Amino acid sequence: MANIKSAKKRILVTATKTARNKAIRSAVKTSIKKVEAAVNANNKEEAQAALTAAISTISKAAKKGIYHKNNAARKISHLTKLVNKIA
């Protein structure tokens, strides 16, 4: 455990940021799973709605710096391709 006051504060701040990042990453993963579940069920309307929500969640995470912008773009592209494949 740290002895210096600033080091103690950094530990607390890091823990707070880690918890925030984990929550946002988890929300992104959940939204991706919802899109994939709708695609597997061949439900075009539900997949479109889930895709819109997922794109929003992923974009917000990228804007906050939790995901790199290229990583976010890759995730969005992958999901869009899945949804567009549904006949």
Side-chain angles (χ1 to χ4, degrees):
M1 184 64 189
N3 290 325
I4 299 168
K5 186 176 181 182
S6 61
K8 289 179 182 177
K9 181 181 177 184
R10 292 311 316 159
I11 290 169
L12 295 174
V13 170
T14 302
T16 304
K17 288 185 176 183
T18 301
R20 173 179 165 264
N21 291 347
K22 264 188 175 179
I24 294 172
R25 282 183 192 270
S26 176
V28 168
K29 288 179 188 176
T30 303
S31 64
I32 289 172
K33 286 178 188 172
K34 285 181 182 176
V35 173
E36 290 173 345
V39 168
N40 289 337
N42 268 349
N43 192 338
K44 182 85 169 176
E45 295 81 25
E46 191 178 314
Q48 285 285 0
L51 176 65
T52 305
I55 289 173
S56 174
T57 308
I58 294 168
S59 298
K60 285 177 185 174
K63 193 171 92 175
K64 292 176 183 174
I66 294 164
Y67 285 108
H68 189 275
K69 66 176 187 164
N70 291 351
N71 188 345
R74 189 173 65 243
K75 287 179 187 300
I76 291 170
S77 175
H78 171 71
L79 292 176
T80 306
K81 279 183 182 178
L82 284 178
V83 172
N84 288 341
K85 281 184 183 176
I86 299 175

